[in-house]
């Protein structure tokens, strides 16, 4: 089989991630379909687009004319602007009032939930400047309490140069108890929006629904949604709770090439007196992908494996820069063969959920561990050739 990459970089360190940008476009279309034609999508691209690479993801959404993208990372937002993308970027927070002037310099829309930040926006600008207001409808994280929101919005609107363009909240949950809690939060938020409108404060963009709400069919009276997980084909609620089919995973594979085949004499003396006994009397394969690249040590007893030629082969050890696995009785392997760490091979498949389970963490942890470490390969069907981004960080 011809190597997938001619690229020099990957001969030097053959380990990479593959992303399917057409799956992203399909997920976006599915979200728009579910939300309806009059509902705007503010796509959540926080944490480097959940580890998928913010510039590549933002380009797709900009080409699809998405209403806006959002993140809490100033560095990521600047990377999007530096790539020439001019779509609206809502900043979730994550800044001090002193940072506002820089936000405005990059045409980023600040979120405001205290007077300090509101005043900083007003003082940093001389023309009409949009802000969003965040309400804390129950998460206990960022935002102004619903009871104080109306008075707060009124005070912010009075400040020179500020346009309150949006008001939003976030209600993240995983299970049935969370679903009920979120239902109440949405009720409180709906009541706030209704009251604002009644009292003459008609704010153009209102938003509360994110992936978990969409997964259980929980909608509101707002005119925008802010999904993250679903855009990337990730589930945000427990299996069984969702009443929709999973979206397509955008992270399609993590792969590496075999750099070494170890053979060990089946010597009983070595075994009994040996130290790394698991590796004796077997053939091992090694790929250049270890802790440094984002692969965490599997918890004790986890059936961690890789796929090679459609076979599921047990992981024997993970060190800083290498992963060693058991070749078992697999014949016909050669240096340079493609080893699947995540994704499909033959009829088998290692899912992100499975990898997270072996590593004793959640899927976001796995994504964050890999983020910015391996080269990313993006494969949009709309382009004739897959291309490789050596975007190690955004
Ligand atoms: C992360 C986030 C979202 C998106 O949440 P998902 O569960 O990934 O859909 C929406 N709004 C805010 C404020 C967020 O922080």
């Amino acid at each position: 089989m011809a190597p997938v990459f001619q690229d020099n970089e990957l001969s030097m360190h053959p380990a990479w991630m593959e992303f399917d940008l057409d799956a992203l476009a399909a997920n976006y279309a599915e979200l728009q379909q579910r939300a309806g034609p009059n509902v705007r999508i503010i796509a959540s691209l926080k944490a480097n687009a959940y580890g998928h690479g913010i510039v590549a993801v933002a380009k797709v959404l900009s080409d699809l004319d998405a209403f806006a993208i959002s993140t809490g990372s100033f560095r990521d937002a600047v990377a999007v602007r530096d790539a020439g993308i001019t779509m609206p970027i809502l900043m979730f927070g994550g800044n001090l009032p002193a940072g506002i002037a820089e936000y405005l310099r990059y045409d980023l829309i600040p979120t405001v939930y205290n007077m300090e930040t509101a005043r900083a926006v007003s003082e940093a600008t001389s023309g009409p400047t949009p802000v969003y207001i965040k309400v804390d409808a129950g998460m206990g994280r960022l935002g102004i309490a619903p009871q104080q929101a109306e008075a707060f919005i009124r005070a912010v609107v009075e400040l020179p140069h500020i346009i309150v363009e949006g008001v939003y909240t976030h209600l993240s949950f995983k299970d049935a108890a969370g679903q009920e809690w979120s239902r109440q939060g949405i009720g409180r938020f709906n009541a706030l929006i209704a009251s604002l409108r009644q009292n003459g404060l008609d704010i153009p963009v209102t938003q509360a629904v994110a992936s978990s709400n969409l997964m259980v069919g929980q909608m509101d009276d707002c005119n925008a949604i802010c999904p993250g997980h679903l855009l990337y084909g990730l589930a945000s609620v427990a299996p069984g709770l969702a009443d929709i089919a999973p979206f397509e995973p955008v992270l399609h594979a993590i792969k590496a090439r075999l750099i070494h085949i170890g053979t060990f004499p089946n010597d009983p003396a070595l075994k009994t007196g040996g130290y790394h006994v698991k590796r004796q009397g077997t053939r091992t394969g090694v790929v250049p992908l270890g802790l440094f690249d984002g692969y965490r040590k599997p918890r004790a007893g986890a059936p961690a494996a890789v796929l090679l030629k459609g076979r599921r082969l047990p992981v024997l050890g993970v060190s800083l820069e290498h992963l060693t696995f058991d070749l078992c009785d697999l014949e016909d392997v050669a240096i340079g063969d493609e080893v699947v760490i995540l994704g499909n091979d033959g009829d088998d498949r290692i899912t992100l959920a499975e990898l997270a389970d072996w590593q004793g963490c959640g899927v976001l942890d796995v994504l964050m561990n890999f983020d910015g470490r391996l080269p990313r390969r993006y494969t949009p069907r709309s382009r004739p050739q897959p291309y490789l981004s050596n975007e190690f960080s955004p």
Side-chain angles (χ1 to χ4, degrees):
M1 195 184 77
V4 178
F5 295 110
Q6 316 296 330
D7 201 281
N8 251 350
E9 183 89 31
L10 285 174
S11 311
M12 311 303 178
H13 189 83
W16 67 96
M17 302 175 90
E18 295 181 4
F19 297 91
D20 179 355
L21 295 182
D22 288 326
L24 176 70
N27 291 343
Y28 175 82
E30 181 67 26
L31 285 164
Q32 187 71 74
Q33 171 80 23
R34 278 172 193 281
N38 301 321
V39 172
R40 288 173 266 206
I41 296 182
I42 303 170
S44 172
L45 271 61
K46 66 186 170 200
N48 199 20
Y50 296 51
H52 290 61
I54 193 163
V55 171
V57 172
K59 268 191 188 132
V60 171
L61 295 170
S62 170
D63 289 349
L64 292 169
D65 280 328
F67 173 67
I69 58 173
S70 51
T71 177
S73 163
F74 178 70
R75 185 190 61 181
D76 282 6
V78 169
V80 171
R81 287 287 179 254
D82 286 348
I85 298 165
T86 56
M87 72 196 304
I89 304 179
L90 170 65
M91 299 304 291
F92 280 144
N95 63 295
L96 288 169
I100 287 294
E102 280 295 291
Y103 271 36
L104 301 184
R105 202 160 79 77
Y106 284 95
D107 194 20
L108 310 177
I109 304 171
T111 290
V112 163
Y113 37 81
N114 54 49
M115 272 325 270
E116 290 86 339
T117 308
R119 271 189 227 103
V121 176
S122 180
E123 284 159 17
T125 180
S126 53
T129 301
V131 302
Y132 277 50
I133 303 242
K134 173 119 187 238
V135 175
D136 189 339
M139 253 183 83
R141 194 172 60 180
L142 293 180
I144 187 101
Q147 309 85 309
Q148 294 153 16
E150 194 162 332
F152 178 72
I153 293 171
R154 222 166 263 295
V156 174
V157 167
E158 298 284 297
L159 292 172
H161 316 307
I162 290 197
I163 314 274
V164 176
E165 189 171 283
V167 54
Y168 70 99
T169 191
H170 183 46
L171 294 150
S172 166
F173 64 88
K174 284 192 166 55
D175 54 18
Q179 182 175 351
E180 173 52 25
W181 160 86
S182 167
R183 197 186 61 74
Q184 294 172 18
I186 285 187
R188 280 192 288 276
F189 195 68
N190 281 340
L192 171 67
I193 303 297
S195 164
L196 290 173
R197 212 171 279 141
Q198 253 169 25
N199 297 327
L201 277 171
D202 213 350
I203 296 168
V205 182
T206 54
Q207 181 269 316
V209 160
S211 297
S212 300
N213 315 94
L214 287 162
M215 287 189 80
V216 301
Q218 199 174 58
M219 289 305 285
D220 60 8
D221 300 341
C222 295
N223 60 20
I225 58 174
C226 185
H229 281 77
L230 284 178
L231 203 53
Y232 309 98
L234 305 170
S236 58
V237 299
L241 194 65
D243 69 352
I244 60 172
F247 284 44
E248 283 186 63
V250 175
L251 171 55
H252 164 79
I254 300 175
K255 292 178 181 169
R257 289 190 186 281
L258 195 62
I259 57 162
H260 182 62
I261 298 166
T263 48
F264 300 90
N266 197 2
D267 179 346
L270 272 177
K271 276 194 173 167
T272 49
Y275 183 62
H276 286 287
V277 285
K278 272 205 297 187
R279 300 186 196 179
Q280 284 167 24
T282 67
R283 286 155 69 237
T284 57
V286 181
V287 289
L289 185 142
L291 297 172
F292 182 49
D293 305 284
Y295 197 104
R296 294 289 171 263
K297 272 194 209 302
R299 60 183 164 72
V306 297
L307 303 175
L308 173 54
K309 297 191 182 293
R311 279 277 302 273
R312 198 168 263 249
L313 302 170
V315 171
L316 295 174
V318 182
S319 46
L320 282 174
E321 295 184 341
H322 297 100
L323 181 152
T324 307
F325 60 97
D326 198 334
L327 279 171
C328 300
D329 58 354
L330 188 65
E331 300 291 340
D332 290 335
V333 287
I335 299 301
D337 280 354
E338 201 170 272
V339 178
V340 172
I341 309 301
L342 172 114
N344 294 310
D345 189 25
D347 295 332
D348 204 352
R349 174 184 198 185
I350 294 172
T351 65
L352 192 58
E354 210 172 359
L355 200 55
D357 174 52
W358 297 339
Q359 299 185 357
C361 62
V363 297
L364 293 182
D365 301 281
V366 176
L367 289 169
M368 292 303 100
N369 292 337
F370 278 103
D371 180 48
R373 301 202 165 258
L374 295 173
R376 297 186 174 97
R377 181 190 179 220
Y378 294 104
T379 54
R381 273 167 236 150
S382 42
R383 273 173 201 260
Q385 289 293 320
Y387 68 98
L388 177 74
S389 160
N390 287 323
E391 190 200 340
F392 285 92
S393 67

